[in-house]
Amino acid sequence: SPTGDSSMASQAQEEIIEMKDVFSVKLKRRRFVGQKKGGTLLGITIFKCLNKEENKLTDCAVHLNNLSEDHCQSWFRHLKEILNGFQNRPKSLKVFVNPSSHKREATHVYYEQVAPLFKLADIKTDVTVTEYEGHALSVLKECELQAFDGVVCVGGDGSVSEVAHGLLLKAQIDAGKDTDYIPKPVRAPVPLGVIPAGTTNILAHTLYGIKHAVTATLHIVMGHIQPVDVCTFSTPSKLLRFGFSAMFGFGARTLALAEKHRWMPSNQRKDFAFIKTLADLKPEECELSFLPLQIPQEDSHENDRITLLYLGSKDQWHKIQGHFLNVSIMAIPCLCSMAPRGLAPNTRLNNGSMALIVVQNTSRTEFIKHLKRYASVKNQFNFPFVETYTVQEVKVQPKLRSGLDAKENTYLNAASAEGNYPWNIDGDLMKEASEVHIRVHPQLINLYGVNTDDLESSQATCNCL
């Protein structure tokens, strides 16, 4: 109750704090400068997670004043018991920090914004600051994951993709699976947390609806779990990687050119590669085979933005052959600041399907119109040269070409006359000359976060409460 004028007490309002929103409780003491233990007891402080506007979460402290040691210890003990009862909340985390992400801000983000909240929530951490590409993967292969409740990645899309791949690959190794051919992979044993510190941060935007390190951290601290579909990308002879999305054609060529100019600053490099690839726009000749998603007829519904196919035969493949400017295969909506509705707005995080988006050969002007639509609320697929499908599996078979000229080699990053075609898999460049087979595996991994489909409704509920 407030101190001072008695008239103030009549204005005091009762506030209810739900324990599901609390993530830490501490004894509150007054200490002198340099004093680390003891001090005058003032009461206890409760730290809760608060929902703000635009999907943001923040931490808030509530001070409860009481000078009785016995009372405070009793309250402290009981509140800690309640907090320990929340099963999804992590007690120990393996953390990977990529110091090279974006503007080299990941280390600062982690130690300034993330680590203090983990410490406040009494979460133990084992931190690896990665030193080279593939470092996190090599650590995860040898990691005893049973010692942790979750794995956290602080970095951009490429870093997150590497950690997710390593986490799932480790799961297959531990299960005794053949890692060259994995038709039915086992689920990741622990959840993955994503702290955005990259350029586009597609997975973070898709999970949280926003790029905000504190929001991402609090979702981890609170143990908010979201099952997510994962794809396997394979050639006929080997598994390439686990991932969430891929692009072949324009999206991959742009990344390949950007990678050849890593000496440029990140944003400048990406803008240059985008403009240059657009100036040299050319289609890829390939054959696409896909297995449409099996949708029971009574559950199917009309959707003018996507082609939903129902087939009586379970294994009836469709084939498309031609010249394509871009092919996207995405198991998640892929939200980002440049595409607020997502690169694949008609798929979901965990509906067991992929969006196959095929952009056929057209003029540069029409292609630019299609790209511009991603930044607006208009339907980016409402063009005669764009086709969309909901699928379970896709096979992409490039038509090998010979006699590529020097310019073509530069922009395609081709390694030989046979041609290693670039792929953009979750922001990572991969080059393959043979067919690539993509399968979706429902809810293969748990991520810390919420389903962005529910963000608006949950935010409205929080505001009402």
Side-chain angles (χ1 to χ4, degrees):
S1 58
T3 58
D5 193 310
S6 59
S7 64
M8 293 285 290
S10 63
Q11 298 175 20
Q13 292 185 345
E14 185 179 80
E15 181 182 353
I16 296 173
I17 298 174
E18 294 192 52
M19 286 304 295
K20 68 178 179 62
D21 297 325
V22 174
F23 66 89
S24 181
V25 57
K26 301 289 183 184
L27 289 170
K28 182 184 178 185
R29 297 182 185 274
R30 181 188 291 120
R31 290 177 177 146
F32 297 109
V33 176
Q35 185 180 2
K36 294 185 178 180
K37 292 186 178 180
T40 304
L41 181 69
L42 300 177
I44 64 174
T45 301
I46 293 172
F47 296 90
K48 67 173 184 175
C49 179
L50 196 64
N51 285 278
K52 301 283 281 186
E53 71 284 350
E54 296 178 342
N55 306 319
K56 279 187 181 178
L57 301 181
T58 188
D59 57 306
C60 173
V62 179
H63 304 287
L64 305 179
N65 301 322
N66 192 316
L67 303 182
S68 166
E69 188 82 32
D70 288 343
H71 284 175
C72 288
Q73 289 289 355
S74 178
W75 274 80
F76 177 76
R77 186 169 58 252
H78 284 295
L79 290 174
K80 288 287 286 185
E81 286 176 3
I82 294 172
L83 293 183
N84 290 334
F86 292 110
Q87 297 300 314
N88 284 338
R89 297 190 181 180
K91 304 291 191 298
S92 177
L93 292 170
K94 176 63 189 173
V95 180
F96 292 95
V97 180
N98 180 3
S100 300
S101 289
H102 191 34
K103 299 176 182 178
R104 303 185 182 276
E105 61 185 14
T107 307
H108 172 78
V109 166
Y110 178 72
Y111 286 107
E112 295 294 326
Q113 301 181 54
V114 180
L117 285 171
F118 284 166
K119 183 179 180 181
L120 192 60
D122 298 318
I123 298 173
K124 295 178 181 178
T125 56
D126 179 36
V127 181
T128 296
V129 179
T130 57
E131 299 173 2
Y132 53 88
E133 186 177 347
H135 189 181
L137 177 60
S138 62
V139 171
L140 279 167
K141 283 183 178 179
E142 305 299 325
C143 186
E144 297 296 332
L145 288 175
Q146 60 267 29
F148 303 101
D149 299 314
V151 173
V152 173
C153 177
V154 187
D157 291 323
S159 306
V160 174
S161 178
E162 180 184 327
V163 172
H165 171 66
L167 191 57
L168 284 161
L169 195 62
K170 172 66 172 173
Q172 313 316 309
I173 293 170
D174 289 348
K177 294 266 187 178
D178 177 7
T179 54
D180 286 333
Y181 178 71
I182 312 177
K184 291 185 178 180
V186 298
R187 296 184 84 246
V190 294
L192 171 61
V194 179
I195 307 292
T199 306
T200 51
N201 303 289
I202 281 175
L203 199 55
H205 271 281
T206 305
L207 283 168
Y208 317 126
I210 193 172
K211 177 191 175 181
H212 191 238
V214 170
T215 295
T217 305
L218 286 171
H219 278 299
I220 296 169
V221 167
M222 301 299 288
H224 296 157
I225 298 294
Q226 173 62 53
V228 177
D229 301 338
V230 181
C231 304
T232 49
F233 298 89
S234 310
T235 67
S237 60
K238 64 177 180 178
L239 171 74
L240 295 176
R241 70 182 302 154
F242 291 94
F244 303 97
S245 64
M247 284 187 282
F248 178 79
F250 178 80
R253 288 186 182 199
T254 302
L255 179 62
L257 184 56
E259 288 297 307
K260 293 177 74 69
H261 293 78
R262 290 200 69 86
W263 51 271
M264 288 183 176
S266 177
N267 287 338
Q268 185 180 338
R269 177 175 72 239
K270 292 185 177 182
D271 289 345
F272 165 78
F274 179 84
I275 294 169
K276 189 67 176 172
T277 308
L278 198 57
D280 295 307
L281 187 66
K282 52 176 69 69
E284 293 283 8
E285 184 181 0
C286 63
E287 180 181 274
L288 303 176
S289 306
F290 60 91
L291 187 62
L293 178 68
Q294 303 301 309
I295 306 172
Q297 283 178 314
E298 61 271 16
D299 294 339
S300 64
H301 59 277
E302 290 297 322
N303 190 324
D304 60 0
R305 294 174 298 178
I306 200 159
T307 305
L308 298 174
L309 299 176
Y310 175 78
L311 298 173
S313 171
K314 187 177 180 181
D315 297 313
Q316 187 171 345
W317 287 76
H318 281 216
K319 286 188 178 181
I320 308 174
Q321 187 168 330
H323 292 80
F324 307 118
L325 290 176
N326 193 69
V327 177
S328 299
I329 304 112
M330 298 177 170
I332 61 174
C334 293
L335 275 65
C336 63
S337 58
M338 296 170 288
R341 293 179 62 248
L343 299 176
N346 302 300
T347 192
R348 295 292 177 262
L349 284 169
N350 58 358
N351 65 353
S353 72
M354 299 180 292
L356 170 62
I357 303 163
V358 182
V359 182
Q360 297 188 13
N361 194 18
T362 187
S363 68
R364 184 181 293 105
T365 302
E366 289 298 299
F367 185 64
I368 291 173
K369 286 181 183 178
H370 161 64
L371 294 180
K372 282 184 174 180
R373 285 277 185 93
Y374 279 102
S376 72
V377 295
K378 294 182 179 179
N379 183 359
Q380 61 262 49
F381 308 132
N382 190 23
F383 292 95
F385 55 87
V386 180
E387 298 176 13
T388 60
Y389 306 91
T390 303
V391 300
Q392 301 175 80
E393 295 185 44
V394 180
K395 294 178 182 178
V396 180
Q397 176 66 66
K399 296 300 181 182
L400 300 181
R401 291 170 294 167
S402 59
L404 296 176
D405 59 29
K407 186 177 180 181
E408 185 86 357
N409 265 318
T410 300
Y411 299 136
L412 289 183
N413 211 14
S416 65
E418 288 75 27
N420 274 346
Y421 290 84
W423 279 83
N424 181 339
I425 300 180
D426 293 332
D428 271 355
L429 179 65
M430 302 197 75
K431 293 172 284 182
E432 286 299 325
S434 59
E435 174 185 276
V436 174
H437 186 181
I438 304 102
R439 291 187 183 92
V440 65
H441 306 277
Q443 303 185 20
L444 195 59
I445 193 171
N446 282 335
L447 298 182
Y448 288 110
V450 293
N451 194 328
T452 44
D453 302 336
D454 304 328
L455 281 174
E456 209 169 290
S457 59
S458 66
Q459 186 64 52
T461 304
C462 290
N463 290 339
C464 290
L465 292 174

